[in-house]
Each structure stands twice: as structure tokens, then as C-alpha cells.
Amino acid sequence: MKNLCEEDEIDIFFKSIAMTVKKMPQQAIKEAKLKTLTLITEIDDKYSTRPTLPYQIPPHVPMSTEFTSQLIQYLNINITRVFAVQLW
């Protein structure tokens, strides 16, 4: 079994990616992190042997006030558009 403390080609590859990302503007770093996480998650799901379940927010996890107000605003705008289209 391989020692997890030893560096291998994967460690070196991701360290070189990190060096490149660190040179980017802050907004690009955020985008790179998000896209990398998304890609790795998709690949992990694709080759995973464990069963996958649809994600649900547990009932004990409160949503932030900001998220809730943004969601309400979005829904109100779209409901208004639906009624406006139906009225005309």
C-alpha cells in the first residue's frame, strides 16, 4: 500500500495547477475553484461505485436570510411576469 505522505505525479500535477491559479485575479480564482470542484465531483460520481441519492437540504439546516429574500424576490418577479402574460 502506498504511503499517503509520499508525493507522486498527482500531487505534483495539482501543485502546478495551484501555482498557476495563484497568479490569477481573485474573480478568476473563484471561478477556477468552482469549475474544478464541479468537474471533480462529476467525474467522481461517474466512476463511483457507491449508490447516489438525490441531494435534499435537511430540515434542520436553516437557509440564510439573504438567500431566502433573494428567492422570494425571484419568485415574485416571475409570478408577476406570468400574471402579466396571462392578463394581456
Side-chain angles (χ1 to χ4, degrees), residues 7 12 14 16-18 22 25 27-28 33 36 39 43 51 61 64 67 71-73 75-77 81 83 87-88:
E7 271 195 2
I12 295 167
F14 282 103
S16 70
I17 295 294
K22 286 180 181 184
Q27 193 61 32
K33 288 169 60 177
T36 301
L39 177 64
I43 293 170
V61 177
S64 72
F67 173 79
L71 179 60
I72 290 169
Q73 181 182 2
L75 292 173
N76 283 338
I77 290 169
R81 287 181 185 158
F83 284 119
L87 293 173
W88 299 105

Side-chain angles (χ1 to χ4, degrees), residues 29-48:
I29 291 172
K30 290 178 183 179
E31 183 179 344
K33 288 169 60 177
L34 178 62
K35 287 185 177 183
T36 301
L37 179 60
T38 301
L39 177 64
I40 296 299
T41 302
E42 288 172 2
I43 293 170
D44 185 48
D45 287 346
K46 180 178 178 181
Y47 292 96
S48 176

